Amino acid sequence: MRDNDSAIVPSRVAVVPATDLATGPWASLSAAWRGSVLASLGVLSFSGSFPATVFAMRGFDPYLVAIGRAAVAAVAALVLLLVARAPLLPPRTQLRSYLVIVAGVVFGFPLFSGLALDAGASVSHAGVVIGLLPAATAACAVLRGGERPRPLFWVACGLGAVAITAFTLSRGGGHATGADLLLVGALVSAAVGYTEGGRLARETSGWRVISHALVVAAPLTVPATAALALTTDTRPDAVSLAGFAYVGLVSMFLGFIPWYAGLATGGIARAGQTQLAQPLLTLLWAWLLLGERFGPVTVVAALAVLVCVAMTQRARS
């Protein structure tokens, strides 16, 4: 049974009447398209994660950034749960699923991706490699989520994966680099965490899923963050603090609220394909914020990904 979110919202908080949500352009969209719209908001948030991580690591240790972002997000999640008068911990029957989310998106993805950037991977390169994430998420959705997309879906997904793999090999002289292997670890971690979170979001709201995951991880992330802050070399300035704040509040928390809601509404495999657009968005931020230059091969790979997005959105689950 799905949680009744309105029951836990304080009386002083205005709630939009259900009749308002049942009419208008939003209600005219199918569940699949509503899920894609919500997931796209999450993708937009995530697309700035790599540039923000680079900024944060200018003043903080990579491990501190990777783990500290979860500690910052845990504080925000705890505040939201308290304001909403929701339980601070998830049901014990769901604890195993939350541990999977913690391992995948709270620890795995931030740690692997941060180390890859620290190892020399450019933001534009990392963004395109992580474009394989929708394919990995779709595979996890089949194995864990019980979804069965149409063949056209897999064709589009496969074409996107081939385009990004070819791009990676062309940039690495025909072989994968150490940073590429770290990025593969990041995308596998994220795919597992996204799928498990999308499954839980079918039963409870997306904001509760990420909030509970962060609170469950807090006994590890908060002490570890404190220890790293005391033992590592920190040189905080306005730019590094802004980057740290972004990955902690947006990438690790706020972006997951529409993301998990979109996966639950539109289907994990189908809505997850909106993340194929993330490489192009990351390239845009790398150019605007970091001044990175990239050649036509990078642009072609990103455009090929966009074509695959259009194809997957036409393939109904």
Side-chain angles (χ1 to χ4, degrees):
M1 182 177 296
R2 191 176 182 84
D3 291 339
N4 185 358
D5 292 338
S6 61
I8 52 86
V9 178
S11 59
R12 64 180 179 275
V13 178
V15 180
V16 178
T19 54
D20 292 345
L21 297 176
T23 60
W26 181 253
S28 66
L29 294 176
S30 66
W33 279 105
R34 290 200 302 272
S36 295
V37 171
L38 289 169
S40 296
L41 295 176
V43 169
L44 181 61
S45 301
F46 299 150
S47 66
S49 298
F50 286 159
T53 299
V54 170
F55 286 140
M57 289 192 302
R58 291 179 180 179
F60 300 97
D61 180 82
Y63 289 97
L64 177 57
V65 174
I67 298 177
R69 61 193 280 181
V72 171
V75 175
L78 183 61
V79 170
L80 179 59
L81 289 169
L82 290 173
V83 169
R85 298 177 185 174
L88 298 184
L89 293 174
R92 296 183 63 181
T93 56
Q94 297 177 341
L95 185 58
R96 180 177 299 179
S97 293
Y98 277 100
L99 291 177
V100 172
I101 297 173
V102 168
V105 301
V106 177
F107 287 107
F109 181 83
L111 186 60
F112 285 127
S113 60
L115 291 177
L117 292 171
D118 188 57
S122 67
V123 168
S124 56
H125 181 85
V128 176
V129 172
I130 292 297
L132 285 170
L133 182 53
T137 303
C140 289
V142 171
L143 295 174
R144 180 64 172 157
E147 297 187 6
R148 295 296 183 268
R150 289 176 53 190
L152 177 60
F153 173 92
W154 290 112
V155 171
C157 185
L159 290 175
V162 168
I164 295 169
T165 301
F167 165 79
T168 302
L169 295 178
S170 68
R171 295 291 294 271
H175 59 83
T177 65
D180 288 328
L181 296 179
L182 287 169
L183 290 171
V184 170
L187 74 90
V188 171
S189 299
V192 173
Y194 287 171
T195 301
E196 201 65 27
R199 290 182 65 253
L200 285 178
R202 295 170 179 170
E203 304 173 7
T204 187
S205 50
W207 68 269
R208 284 197 188 188
V209 172
I210 188 58
S211 296
H212 282 149
L214 291 166
V215 171
V216 167
L220 294 177
T221 58
V222 173
T225 299
L228 288 168
L230 293 173
T231 58
T232 59
D233 182 26
T234 59
R235 301 177 302 278
D237 56 19
V239 173
S240 60
L241 286 172
F244 206 157
Y246 187 95
V247 295
L249 295 176
V250 180
S251 302
M252 183 59 74
F253 181 53
L254 296 177
F256 275 99
I257 295 176
W259 174 247
Y260 276 148
L263 294 184
T265 303
I268 297 171
R270 186 178 189 275
Q273 295 308 295
T274 57
Q275 200 158 35
L276 280 169
Q278 187 166 325
L280 186 60
L281 291 171
T282 301
L283 291 179
L284 177 62
W285 302 138
W287 174 62
L288 290 176
L289 301 177
L290 299 172
E292 288 191 6
R293 297 182 179 273
F294 37 83
V297 174
T298 302
V299 176
V300 169
L303 291 177
V305 163
L306 285 181
V307 173
C308 294
V309 171
M311 293 176 62
T312 57
Q313 295 309 294
R314 293 182 63 87
R316 300 290 181 179
S317 294

